[in-house]
Amino acid sequence: MKLTICKDAYQTCIRVAEKLAVLGAKGGTVALSGGSTPKLLFKIMREQGAERWEKLKFFWGDERIVPAESPESNYGEFYRELVASGIVPAENVFQSPYYPDTAEVLKDTALKIERSVPHSDGLPRFDLILLGVGEDGHTASVFPDNLASFNSEKALEVVKHPASGQKRITLTGSAINNAAEVLFLCTGESKSYILYQVICNRDPRLPATHVRPVKGVLRWYLDEAAVGNINY
Ligand code: 6PG
Protein backbone atom coordinates (compact mmCIF):
# COMPACT_ATOMS: atom_id res chain seq x y z
CA MET A 1 0.00 0.00 0.00
CA LYS A 2 1.44 3.35 -1.06
CA LEU A 3 0.35 6.60 0.60
CA THR A 4 0.65 10.04 -1.00
CA ILE A 5 -0.26 13.01 1.21
CA CYS A 6 -0.72 16.44 -0.36
CA LYS A 7 -1.32 19.89 1.10
CA ASP A 8 -4.91 20.27 -0.02
CA ALA A 9 -7.64 18.77 -2.18
CA TYR A 10 -6.46 20.61 -5.29
CA GLN A 11 -2.89 19.33 -5.04
CA THR A 12 -4.18 15.83 -4.30
CA CYS A 13 -6.37 15.85 -7.40
CA ILE A 14 -3.46 17.23 -9.46
CA ARG A 15 -1.43 14.17 -8.44
CA VAL A 16 -4.29 11.84 -9.29
CA ALA A 17 -4.65 13.53 -12.69
CA GLU A 18 -0.94 12.82 -13.22
CA LYS A 19 -1.59 9.13 -12.50
CA LEU A 20 -4.44 9.13 -15.00
CA ALA A 21 -2.19 10.83 -17.58
CA VAL A 22 0.46 8.12 -17.20
CA LEU A 23 -2.17 5.51 -18.03
CA GLY A 24 -3.55 7.81 -20.73
CA ALA A 25 -0.18 7.81 -22.51
CA LYS A 26 -0.58 4.11 -23.35
CA GLY A 27 -4.35 3.81 -23.06
CA GLY A 28 -6.45 1.76 -20.69
CA THR A 29 -9.66 1.27 -18.76
CA VAL A 30 -10.57 3.39 -15.75
CA ALA A 31 -13.47 2.91 -13.35
CA LEU A 32 -14.23 6.23 -11.69
CA SER A 33 -15.55 6.85 -8.21
CA GLY A 34 -18.66 8.90 -7.66
CA GLY A 35 -19.79 11.35 -5.03
CA SER A 36 -18.37 14.84 -4.62
CA THR A 37 -14.61 14.29 -4.32
CA PRO A 38 -13.94 13.56 -8.01
CA LYS A 39 -15.67 16.80 -9.13
CA LEU A 40 -12.45 18.75 -8.55
CA LEU A 41 -10.48 16.10 -10.43
CA PHE A 42 -12.84 16.45 -13.40
CA LYS A 43 -12.34 20.23 -13.41
CA ILE A 44 -8.56 19.72 -13.44
CA MET A 45 -8.88 17.20 -16.29
CA ARG A 46 -10.89 19.75 -18.25
CA GLU A 47 -8.23 22.43 -17.62
CA GLN A 48 -5.50 20.08 -18.85
CA GLY A 49 -7.23 19.45 -22.16
CA ALA A 50 -8.33 16.44 -24.22
CA GLU A 51 -5.03 14.95 -25.37
CA ARG A 52 -4.05 13.42 -22.02
CA TRP A 53 -7.28 11.41 -21.77
CA GLU A 54 -8.05 10.47 -25.38
CA LYS A 55 -6.83 6.86 -25.06
CA LEU A 56 -8.75 6.15 -21.85
CA LYS A 57 -12.06 4.31 -21.60
CA PHE A 58 -14.15 5.52 -18.67
CA PHE A 59 -16.46 3.37 -16.56
CA TRP A 60 -17.82 3.78 -13.04
CA GLY A 61 -17.12 1.79 -9.89
CA ASP A 62 -20.71 2.46 -8.95
CA GLU A 63 -23.67 4.46 -10.15
CA ARG A 64 -26.90 5.61 -8.65
CA ILE A 65 -29.81 4.17 -10.66
CA VAL A 66 -31.22 7.55 -11.64
CA PRO A 67 -31.54 9.44 -14.95
CA ALA A 68 -28.29 11.03 -16.16
CA GLU A 69 -29.90 14.46 -15.74
CA SER A 70 -30.28 13.87 -12.01
CA PRO A 71 -27.77 15.73 -9.80
CA GLU A 72 -27.33 12.33 -8.13
CA SER A 73 -25.88 10.76 -11.30
CA ASN A 74 -22.14 10.10 -11.15
CA TYR A 75 -22.04 9.84 -14.94
CA GLY A 76 -24.03 13.09 -15.21
CA GLU A 77 -21.33 15.01 -13.35
CA PHE A 78 -18.60 13.64 -15.61
CA TYR A 79 -20.70 14.28 -18.72
CA ARG A 80 -21.39 17.91 -17.83
CA GLU A 81 -17.72 18.62 -17.08
CA LEU A 82 -15.88 16.55 -19.67
CA VAL A 83 -18.10 15.17 -22.42
CA ALA A 84 -20.34 18.18 -23.06
CA SER A 85 -17.17 20.33 -23.17
CA GLY A 86 -15.63 18.09 -25.83
CA ILE A 87 -12.71 17.01 -23.65
CA VAL A 88 -13.67 13.30 -23.56
CA PRO A 89 -15.36 11.75 -26.59
CA ALA A 90 -18.72 10.12 -25.80
CA GLU A 91 -17.59 6.85 -27.42
CA ASN A 92 -14.98 6.46 -24.67
CA VAL A 93 -17.54 6.69 -21.87
CA PHE A 94 -19.43 3.60 -20.70
CA GLN A 95 -22.06 4.69 -18.24
CA SER A 96 -24.75 2.60 -16.57
CA PRO A 97 -27.90 3.89 -18.30
CA TYR A 98 -31.08 4.41 -16.35
CA TYR A 99 -33.87 1.86 -16.63
CA PRO A 100 -36.76 1.48 -14.18
CA ASP A 101 -36.02 -2.25 -14.28
CA THR A 102 -32.70 -2.69 -12.44
CA ALA A 103 -32.18 -6.02 -14.21
CA GLU A 104 -31.84 -4.02 -17.45
CA VAL A 105 -29.28 -1.68 -15.83
CA LEU A 106 -27.28 -4.69 -14.70
CA LYS A 107 -27.49 -6.39 -18.10
CA ASP A 108 -26.47 -3.26 -20.04
CA THR A 109 -23.58 -2.41 -17.71
CA ALA A 110 -22.31 -5.99 -17.62
CA LEU A 111 -22.36 -6.16 -21.41
CA LYS A 112 -20.35 -2.94 -21.75
CA ILE A 113 -17.74 -4.19 -19.31
CA GLU A 114 -17.69 -7.63 -20.91
CA ARG A 115 -17.03 -6.12 -24.32
CA SER A 116 -14.59 -3.35 -23.39
CA VAL A 117 -12.60 -4.41 -20.33
CA PRO A 118 -9.98 -7.15 -20.57
CA HIS A 119 -10.71 -10.04 -18.22
CA SER A 120 -8.56 -12.30 -16.05
CA ASP A 121 -9.69 -15.15 -13.79
CA GLY A 122 -13.18 -14.71 -15.14
CA LEU A 123 -13.48 -11.12 -13.92
CA PRO A 124 -12.89 -7.69 -15.52
CA ARG A 125 -9.38 -6.42 -14.84
CA PHE A 126 -9.55 -2.65 -14.94
CA ASP A 127 -6.22 -0.93 -15.40
CA LEU A 128 -7.22 1.56 -12.73
CA ILE A 129 -10.12 1.78 -10.30
CA LEU A 130 -10.60 5.09 -8.50
CA LEU A 131 -12.44 4.78 -5.19
CA GLY A 132 -13.67 7.08 -2.47
CA VAL A 133 -14.54 6.22 1.13
CA GLY A 134 -17.80 7.22 2.75
CA GLU A 135 -17.87 8.37 6.38
CA ASP A 136 -19.43 4.99 7.21
CA GLY A 137 -16.54 3.17 5.56
CA HIS A 138 -18.36 2.23 2.38
CA THR A 139 -16.57 2.25 -0.92
CA ALA A 140 -18.11 2.19 -4.37
CA SER A 141 -21.63 1.25 -3.29
CA VAL A 142 -20.67 -1.55 -0.96
CA PHE A 143 -22.08 -0.54 2.40
CA PRO A 144 -21.32 -1.96 5.86
CA ASP A 145 -24.84 -3.43 6.13
CA ASN A 146 -24.23 -5.47 2.97
CA LEU A 147 -20.66 -6.63 3.21
CA ALA A 148 -21.75 -9.85 1.48
CA SER A 149 -22.03 -7.90 -1.77
CA PHE A 150 -18.29 -7.17 -1.53
CA ASN A 151 -17.56 -10.90 -1.72
CA SER A 152 -20.02 -11.69 -4.50
CA GLU A 153 -18.55 -13.95 -7.17
CA LYS A 154 -20.09 -11.61 -9.74
CA ALA A 155 -18.43 -8.41 -10.90
CA LEU A 156 -21.57 -6.32 -10.49
CA GLU A 157 -24.41 -6.20 -7.99
CA VAL A 158 -27.50 -4.04 -7.58
CA VAL A 159 -27.76 -2.79 -4.00
CA LYS A 160 -29.67 -0.26 -1.95
CA HIS A 161 -28.30 2.71 -0.03
CA PRO A 162 -28.92 1.78 3.64
CA ALA A 163 -30.34 5.17 4.58
CA SER A 164 -32.14 6.47 1.48
CA GLY A 165 -33.01 3.14 -0.10
CA GLN A 166 -31.69 4.53 -3.38
CA LYS A 167 -30.94 1.70 -5.79
CA ARG A 168 -27.37 1.51 -7.04
CA ILE A 169 -25.21 -0.67 -9.23
CA THR A 170 -21.72 -1.39 -7.96
CA LEU A 171 -18.56 -3.24 -8.79
CA THR A 172 -18.08 -5.92 -6.17
CA GLY A 173 -14.93 -6.55 -4.19
CA SER A 174 -14.17 -9.43 -6.55
CA ALA A 175 -13.92 -7.01 -9.47
CA ILE A 176 -12.24 -4.25 -7.44
CA ASN A 177 -9.56 -6.59 -6.11
CA ASN A 178 -8.97 -7.92 -9.63
CA ALA A 179 -7.78 -4.51 -10.87
CA ALA A 180 -4.19 -3.81 -11.87
CA GLU A 181 -4.28 -0.72 -9.67
CA VAL A 182 -6.73 0.68 -7.11
CA LEU A 183 -6.41 4.31 -6.09
CA PHE A 184 -8.33 5.77 -3.15
CA LEU A 185 -8.84 9.53 -3.44
CA CYS A 186 -9.98 10.98 -0.11
CA THR A 187 -9.91 14.60 0.97
CA GLY A 188 -11.30 16.71 3.78
CA GLU A 189 -11.33 16.59 7.56
CA SER A 190 -14.61 14.65 7.60
CA LYS A 191 -12.75 11.56 6.37
CA SER A 192 -9.92 11.50 8.94
CA TYR A 193 -11.74 9.33 11.50
CA ILE A 194 -12.93 6.68 9.04
CA LEU A 195 -9.56 6.59 7.27
CA TYR A 196 -7.88 5.84 10.59
CA GLN A 197 -10.33 2.97 11.11
CA VAL A 198 -9.69 1.62 7.60
CA ILE A 199 -5.96 2.20 7.14
CA CYS A 200 -4.64 1.84 10.71
CA ASN A 201 -7.21 -0.31 12.51
CA ARG A 202 -8.27 -2.24 9.40
CA ASP A 203 -11.75 -2.57 10.88
CA PRO A 204 -13.21 -5.66 9.15
CA ARG A 205 -16.73 -4.27 9.43
CA LEU A 206 -15.83 -1.59 6.89
CA PRO A 207 -15.97 -2.47 3.18
CA ALA A 208 -13.04 -0.15 2.32
CA THR A 209 -10.84 -2.26 4.62
CA HIS A 210 -11.30 -5.25 2.31
CA VAL A 211 -9.92 -3.52 -0.78
CA ARG A 212 -6.71 -5.45 -1.33
CA PRO A 213 -5.88 -5.97 -5.03
CA VAL A 214 -4.91 -9.63 -5.45
CA LYS A 215 -2.33 -9.00 -8.17
CA GLY A 216 -2.43 -5.24 -8.26
CA VAL A 217 -1.22 -2.12 -6.52
CA LEU A 218 -3.15 -0.20 -3.85
CA ARG A 219 -2.52 3.52 -3.51
CA TRP A 220 -4.00 6.20 -1.25
CA TYR A 221 -4.06 9.85 -2.25
CA LEU A 222 -5.01 11.99 0.74
CA ASP A 223 -4.86 15.64 1.62
CA GLU A 224 -3.57 16.80 5.02
CA ALA A 225 -7.09 17.49 6.24
CA ALA A 226 -8.10 13.87 5.64
CA VAL A 227 -4.95 12.66 7.39
CA GLY A 228 -5.64 14.86 10.43
CA ASN A 229 -3.24 14.22 13.29
CA ILE A 230 -2.69 10.59 12.39
CA ASN A 231 0.88 9.54 11.90
CA TYR A 232 0.62 7.06 9.07
C1 6PG B 1 -20.84 7.26 -4.70
C2 6PG B 1 -19.43 6.82 -4.55
C3 6PG B 1 -19.06 6.60 -3.14
C4 6PG B 1 -18.19 7.79 -2.77
C5 6PG B 1 -18.07 7.95 -1.30
C6 6PG B 1 -17.34 9.25 -0.96
O1 6PG B 1 -21.45 6.99 -5.73
O2 6PG B 1 -21.27 7.99 -3.78
O3 6PG B 1 -18.87 6.10 -5.44
O4 6PG B 1 -18.41 5.41 -2.85
O5 6PG B 1 -16.89 7.60 -3.35
O6 6PG B 1 -19.39 8.00 -0.76
O7 6PG B 1 -18.15 10.30 -1.44
P1 6PG B 1 -17.67 11.84 -1.35
O8 6PG B 1 -16.57 11.98 -2.35
O9 6PG B 1 -18.89 12.62 -1.74
O10 6PG B 1 -17.21 12.05 0.06
Side-chain angles (χ1 to χ4, degrees):
M1 174 174 72
K2 299 175 171 58
L3 215 63
T4 301
I5 298 170
C6 302
K7 179 166 64 71
D8 54 29
Y10 183 79
Q11 291 304 322
T12 311
C13 289
I14 285 281
R15 294 292 297 273
V16 172
E18 286 165 6
K19 283 291 293 170
L20 276 173
V22 167
L23 181 60
K26 60 181 180 176
T29 55
V30 181
L32 296 166
S33 60
S36 58
T37 303
K39 292 179 181 178
L40 180 53
L41 171 63
F42 298 162
K43 289 189 186 318
I44 290 167
M45 290 172 69
R46 179 173 179 173
E47 287 165 5
Q48 294 183 356
E51 194 176 336
R52 295 188 118 193
W53 329 114
E54 61 191 10
K55 294 181 190 171
L56 293 176
K57 290 181 179 176
F58 293 99
F59 302 77
W60 271 264
D62 69 313
E63 181 58 281
R64 295 83 179 275
I65 300 181
V66 295
E69 303 72 33
S70 163
E72 280 287 300
S73 168
N74 290 331
Y75 159 74
E77 186 59 39
F78 182 89
Y79 176 85
R80 287 183 289 275
E81 190 69 48
L82 290 165
V83 181
S85 58
I87 296 292
V88 174
E91 62 266 23
N92 290 355
V93 184
F94 302 81
Q95 79 274 23
S96 293
Y98 172 71
Y99 295 104
D101 177 358
T102 56
E104 286 300 311
V105 179
L106 196 58
K107 184 179 165 190
D108 186 293
T109 306
L111 195 56
K112 282 174 178 167
I113 292 175
E114 186 67 32
R115 284 176 176 165
S116 303
V117 181
H119 280 55
S120 72
D121 302 322
L123 287 163
R125 183 170 170 78
F126 286 93
D127 291 300
L128 177 62
I129 296 182
L130 205 55
L131 292 174
V133 178
E135 293 179 30
D136 62 354
H138 80 260
T139 192
S141 279
V142 180
F143 293 93
D145 72 330
N146 188 5
L147 205 49
S149 64
F150 188 93
N151 300 314
S152 166
E153 288 175 1
K154 292 184 281 184
L156 288 165
E157 290 283 359
V158 170
V159 297
K160 275 189 182 177
H161 188 285
S164 66
Q166 183 186 63
K167 290 180 182 172
R168 300 194 175 185
I169 185 168
T170 186
L171 287 181
T172 63
S174 301
I176 291 170
N177 285 337
N178 202 45
E181 185 169 13
V182 177
L183 190 162
F184 277 104
L185 168 58
C186 300
T187 60
E189 190 181 356
S190 68
K191 299 296 173 75
S192 63
Y193 172 77
I194 201 67
L195 288 175
Y196 179 73
Q197 298 308 325
V198 170
I199 299 174
C200 297
N201 287 348
R202 295 182 46 67
D203 184 337
R205 296 168 298 176
L206 307 176
T209 300
H210 297 280
V211 173
R212 279 276 176 275
V214 177
K215 299 174 186 168
V217 179
L218 175 62
R219 300 182 193 277
W220 290 84
Y221 282 75
L222 309 173
D223 68 355
E224 290 175 358
V227 169
N229 54 10
I230 297 155
N231 183 20
Y232 283 102

